[in-house]
Amino acid sequence: MSSPIRIGVIGAGRIGAVHARTVVRRIPEAEIRAIADPSKDTAKKLGAELGVPRVLPDYRELLSDREIDAVLICSSTDTHAQVITEAAKAGKGIFCEKPLDLRLERVDEVLAAVKQARVKLQVGFNRRFDPDFARLRRLVADGAAGVPHLLRITSRDPGPPPLAYVKVSGGMFLDMTIHDFDMARFMMGCEVEEVFVAAAVLVDPAIGQAGDVDTAIVTLRFANGALGAIDNSRRAAYGYDQRVEILGSAGMLANANHTPDTVSRADGDGVHAPLPLNFFMQRYTESYEAEMRAFIDCLLRDQPPPVTGEDGRRATLLGYAALKSLKENRPVRPEEFLASKKRKR
Amino acid sequence: MSSPIRIGVIGAGRIGAVHARTVVRRIPEAEIRAIADPSKDTAKKLGAELGVPRVLPDYRELLSDREIDAVLICSSTDTHAQVITEAAKAGKGIFCEKPLDLRLERVDEVLAAVKQARVKLQVGFNRRFDPDFARLRRLVADGAAGVPHLLRITSRDPGPPPLAYVKVSGGMFLDMTIHDFDMARFMMGCEVEEVFVAAAVLVDPAIGQAGDVDTAIVTLRFANGALGAIDNSRRAAYGYDQRVEILGSAGMLANANHTPDTVSRADGDGVHAPLPLNFFMQRYTESYEAEMRAFIDCLLRDQPPPVTGEDGRRATLLGYAALKSLKENRPVRPEEFLASKKRKR
Amino acid sequence: MSSPIRIGVIGAGRIGAVHARTVVRRIPEAEIRAIADPSKDTAKKLGAELGVPRVLPDYRELLSDREIDAVLICSSTDTHAQVITEAAKAGKGIFCEKPLDLRLERVDEVLAAVKQARVKLQVGFNRRFDPDFARLRRLVADGAAGVPHLLRITSRDPGPPPLAYVKVSGGMFLDMTIHDFDMARFMMGCEVEEVFVAAAVLVDPAIGQAGDVDTAIVTLRFANGALGAIDNSRRAAYGYDQRVEILGSAGMLANANHTPDTVSRADGDGVHAPLPLNFFMQRYTESYEAEMRAFIDCLLRDQPPPVTGEDGRRATLLGYAALKSLKENRPVRPEEFLASKKRKR
Amino acid sequence: MSSPIRIGVIGAGRIGAVHARTVVRRIPEAEIRAIADPSKDTAKKLGAELGVPRVLPDYRELLSDREIDAVLICSSTDTHAQVITEAAKAGKGIFCEKPLDLRLERVDEVLAAVKQARVKLQVGFNRRFDPDFARLRRLVADGAAGVPHLLRITSRDPGPPPLAYVKVSGGMFLDMTIHDFDMARFMMGCEVEEVFVAAAVLVDPAIGQAGDVDTAIVTLRFANGALGAIDNSRRAAYGYDQRVEILGSAGMLANANHTPDTVSRADGDGVHAPLPLNFFMQRYTESYEAEMRAFIDCLLRDQPPPVTGEDGRRATLLGYAALKSLKENRPVRPEEFLASKKRKR
């Protein structure tokens, strides 16, 4: 075996801890050399759990360490662009949580920096690595449903995030639907050419007062001619609802929600089955591990990452198109949007 | 018991035979007095099967019979408006298959005639009487899902109709989606205020050459603030797909497709379950009986029919809005459409 | 078409009415000429519903009518043997509800009489004609599960019958399990060679006081080497539970219960689905029609009936073996039982 | 926090590795101090993976280490009795894989030694800790199904073990059904009073030649009056089938098999769903972790273990009763068996 990939973790919060544990416990081909977090306590606690003695308050120290091959950027969203840019300059392999940035121009700059530095960048669209969605994609690609005609994505959270978060999140389309935009592109294997949004504030008026929506149907028109619909809600009383359905010329593919157990109870009132898993980190446990493995693999084999910076940019672009469609109540082509952005410059 | 409702059947084709059999075999409170069909053989055959000796080539003879209380109009679509108008003048109770007419102006005229004659008119939106959809509606009305947020209707035919039919059908929205428009209004208990259509020709290019589409996603905005999406396809390789899902503040309601049996087979390749029933007359057998019972009931009890002429008109109106949205690639409000119609006059 | 089979109905109660309606409404190749029932009102009512003017208090009058080809024996169980014997002598085709008789000797006599008269006798094991079970049998026969290894039958009533009925029913094994014995033989296509019963009174002590049991597991050993288990309960709080599962060398076949609709509701407590149909006449509606069609077909085509007198006798024999196993708490071979019966003679 | 429980692992094979990984990765309240295995390479490899430098060829060295609080006995079955006895004398807490021993007398001796040493012994019936079965048991205990009437356990392996293993395994009842016997006692919360076995060799004649069976239906009579049926097969072509169903006075509880994903495909032939997980270590991953946690917990809190030596003994006893029932083709009471064993002494 070649020597293991040496990893620095930037950001030791919830998702940083998930990735760090995966590397330590599940991926013998990688090892964690240092953990950086502005909160030294947070970094220390994670370091202690995982047997990583080196913890740093400043990620720059980690970037300047020549014995570190790659970084996992798990810091807050507003730092992503800056950290990626510096990591690229430092020649590190980069895994970064989504989104790259909420501003499309900034995303373009970041991708340019990554390109110039010729480093690898994988974006954290973990759902692609979920066993259900990975298999669905393989089946679509293998033609198991024939030529795709219709895609339906049901993506509903068990409850809205805190209002404070809503205000800085970039809004539902850039925070939540962005995963579904990526899923749509992933499933179809082609770009979205037009977006139409019907959205409303039905879950909580406070979300509307914060300038956001909480319920939406997003219609997509794909480059391959197929049509798609995403339906989003910030609140599904029965739990986290994550379903994808593809109708093609030869049939239909679909997944179902995951439950904590399979126990049903039948009494005089009905047959009662368990609710979907309520929390995204439980629902997507396996996907986090698989995406990290994929990242390490692409470094070891010097292959392109399975989810690229361009994937991150495209999903953000669709979020922008959705916002414009919402504002102007008309279908919006991302292309048109890019054009208007250029004009603005 | 009061004396039975005396029925005349107009049109002895497939759907006419269904309704006539229901009346004879299942509804002791009604009896069939005569069957009219331009094809005397067709009428005779049905009459022989059901023990109805009186068969007529001309429905007018039936309308002028004072011993007939009500008529079932099951003739071809292009005759509906004329027959309803005459039946109304003759003071008959009227059950008419959908659509009332493909032209909105003509529908308005027909409804005016019915109103003036003060007769009852029930339109054949049979799906409202399906055990699944009837129960879903009751649950929605009872608040079992809380306040409705999202409605999703999956409505896919096993295969496209003959091209000759496509050409005279008024197009997918007035022929097929019209059932879904009615379902949407029925489920939500309120009007649709805006329609956006994304549609394509993906099943058969000949359908496109005939000026129609075969695949669509229709976004709906309801007066109660909820959103809806209908997805249609003229071809689901796995059979007739008829599902409705409602997300509300308190949970989700949904039905599943019906299968001819429940037998599954598990072997080394997977668990294999039966396909949905393939033919609408099998899938909706119970609904045809229940709608006929409801019609006879409303006559017996002198109650308003459960599906009115206005319901027929509204669904047609939504079909028009869908066509306009498709043509202009923008959301269309039925109201706006009505206004534009007025301007045209 | 040949002239229709002319039917006499003996017994106009619940099941007699079911069969008579099927003949009148669904089978143009047959017609009902007369209905006999000791209660003239019952017969009259059914005759009026179905347009059969001839109603008789005494079935003998019907048997002596040379214009009647076949009879449906739907009278009370204790009359079956006598009526079959007389009908056989009168040369009628015979459909008789199960059981032929509760006494095995009497069954033998009846079958001898039928054999001597060379008439057709079909026994009313309707479940063989259920779409689920008919398809399961076809799949087993076609080898879809390979060589059968294990058969499991779940057969549970929604609630116990009235105590008065329990006392005259012959006990659970001859009244309820007899259907499962027939199903076991039907599914496997071979005889049961050994029966072991574990049974208890768990539902209602009064059933025990009446000398019967209400809960049982019956183990079967088949001539083809396979094993089987029937589990019975007189009370499933969630409804009528009717499932069959076959494990074979190549996989598993199974059916599921039928529900009145497919609507599920998901809320904060779980996903709630509808209960199985509660009443056997609803659950088995289609089977009653199909078995009647099969009877008429076998008369028309002069073919052996699909469920023979021997089938009726074998199921009864298994009931006897079950009773003996229960009494002696040991596995009992029907053969041994027959031997002991011979010795007794 | 108190200082962690110091663990020695005895046997570094497949299941030993599973438990050791759980302790190291998932249970901060415990740590592994040494790993003993006659194959030093095996021990070394596991030690290297988990950062445990101390590996020993002889478990006795480990038992004499006073700095070790408890041992996980994962060595071959024929060593269990000896190792437990010595570990008990050394005062260690003991987790031992099932079975304790294949000879009932030996089990009694082992339990006596454990009792005398006043140490804790937990037996590895991991299925009790599976999320499905743990929840089923809680529901039964809470009366969610009312008073239990019928228990059904479906327990089928995807394929038979190697013939060499069959010969030393003690036979299907002591090797495979023993888990189901424990499950039966666990679910019902009471003892089995009578066992009847119908068994056959249907999967592979070689198994029969080795003196074993591969297919069985085991009927159980419980002390609480309820009845049970276990069905076993050494070969389910569709995968590992692990289902439990309880019918009680108030309803039914049941679980379903677990699948690697939830993706279904509908085409012109049917709806195709994934097979159950094929391998017991995948199916029961969560249970292995939970049982290890429970063992550490009982040590930390000085509580009785959740699965006791007596549980191990009772399951073995039922295996003996099953073997006797098979041999003598009659129901066998474990009590009777104990009596006969006493007589033999």
Side-chain angles (χ1 to χ4, degrees), chain D residues 240-275:
Chain D
Y240 190 41
D241 193 345
Q242 298 280 291
R243 287 172 289 155
V244 168
E245 180 180 313
I246 296 110
L247 173 70
S249 57
M252 179 168 65
L253 304 169
N255 82 313
N257 284 313
H258 293 200
T259 55
D261 62 68
T262 71
V263 174
S264 68
R265 183 169 54 84
D267 57 24
D269 292 327
V271 180
H272 314 287
L275 288 177

Side-chain angles (χ1 to χ4, degrees), chain A residues 7-27 32 34-37 39 41-52 72-76 95 97 279-281 285 288-289 291-292, chain D residues 25-26:
Chain A
I7 301 279
V9 176
I10 298 173
R14 187 167 63 179
I15 192 69
V18 166
H19 293 316
R21 283 183 199 117
T22 297
V23 170
V24 169
R25 293 176 183 162
R26 305 285 178 176
I27 309 185
I32 295 183
I35 299 172
D37 197 294
S39 153
D41 279 358
T42 306
K44 256 189 175 166
K45 205 178 146 196
L46 185 60
E49 179 192 329
L50 297 175
V52 177
L72 312 181
I73 304 178
C74 308
S75 49
S76 64
F95 173 90
E97 277 302 315
F279 186 40
F280 75 93
M281 299 203 60
T285 303
Y288 288 118
E289 183 176 329
E291 77 171 346
M292 199 43 58
Chain D
R25 293 177 183 161
R26 305 285 179 176

